[in-house]
Amino acid sequence: MYEIFGEMDSVEELNATAEGLKKEGDRENLYRLAGENGIDSAFVDMYLDGAENLCCDAATAALGKIEAEAAGLKPVEIMADWVEYIKTLCGDERDDSFARAVRRRGKSLKGCIGCLLEWSFRKRYRVGSDIINAAGLGGRQVEMGIPGTGTAKRLIREYYLGKGGGGK
């Protein structure tokens, strides 16, 4: 995913790289940097035209990272819901600490979903026979372990912000 410029650890690092490319007049690599980090070329256009002082802010950098990672993972159903929640947290205009945490080197959507999946397997439980029969699955043993909304939100925050060790 970060083949050319490597994984940036912060929005400041990303903007410093963008500034260096801009000063060198290297528009092509500035667009590559943005693409590699999931940042829309429209932001680069505004930056190059002087309409913006920075290539991106913390929210844009974090959302770009999540979008780029999600494109490779192709999450569906509950995992897609988790991704949308992460994106919502990244756009919090009152506090950019979550967006900054998402941008950190070594934090990834794959790692976050892995944390949720690991929790799911550890916390799975046997579904009652009444529910299994109502589903037309009589005679089978079924186990589930999908975290509820509150637990998923807590695990996501813990993964990116480092509070509580990622739910383990």
Side-chain angles (χ1 to χ4, degrees), residues 12 18 20 31 34 45 50 52 75 77 129 134 136 146 155 167:
E12 289 80 13
Y31 282 102
D45 293 338
E52 294 291 333
E77 298 295 336
S129 60
I146 301 168
L155 292 170

Side-chain angles (χ1 to χ4, degrees), residues 10-157:
S10 67
V11 64
E12 289 80 13
E13 184 178 353
L14 203 157
N15 279 320
T17 303
E19 183 65 22
L21 293 169
K22 182 179 178 181
K23 284 181 180 175
E24 292 172 8
D26 192 348
R27 297 171 66 94
E28 183 178 332
N29 274 321
L30 184 50
Y31 282 102
R32 281 190 183 132
L33 173 69
E36 191 171 278
N37 285 277
I39 297 168
D40 191 283
S41 61
F43 288 103
V44 177
D45 293 338
M46 290 186 291
Y47 176 60
L48 286 171
D49 292 342
E52 294 291 333
N53 293 329
L54 299 171
C55 186
C56 60
D57 61 13
T60 304
L63 288 168
K65 181 176 181 180
I66 295 299
E67 288 287 342
E69 291 174 337
L73 294 176
K74 299 177 181 32
V76 296
E77 298 295 336
I78 192 68
M79 290 183 194
D81 291 347
W82 295 336
V83 171
E84 289 305 312
Y85 178 67
I86 293 167
K87 288 169 29 179
T88 299
L89 291 174
C90 289
D92 185 348
E93 295 175 5
R94 296 165 294 154
D95 180 6
D96 69 358
S97 61
F98 188 84
R100 289 178 173 284
V102 164
R103 190 70 245 188
R104 299 292 302 183
R105 187 177 293 113
K107 294 294 181 179
S108 68
L109 184 58
K110 178 174 49 177
C112 184
I113 292 175
C115 175
L116 289 155
L117 185 61
E118 186 267 336
W119 183 96
S120 297
F121 275 96
R122 273 191 305 104
K123 300 292 186 170
R124 68 186 183 274
Y125 57 91
R126 186 170 292 180
V127 176
S129 60
D130 290 346
I131 296 171
I132 293 170
N133 290 334
L137 301 172
R140 296 189 179 142
Q141 289 187 0
V142 176
E143 292 184 335
M144 290 181 62
I146 301 168
T149 303
T151 299
K153 289 178 176 182
R154 178 180 55 80
L155 292 170
I156 288 166
R157 287 177 179 276

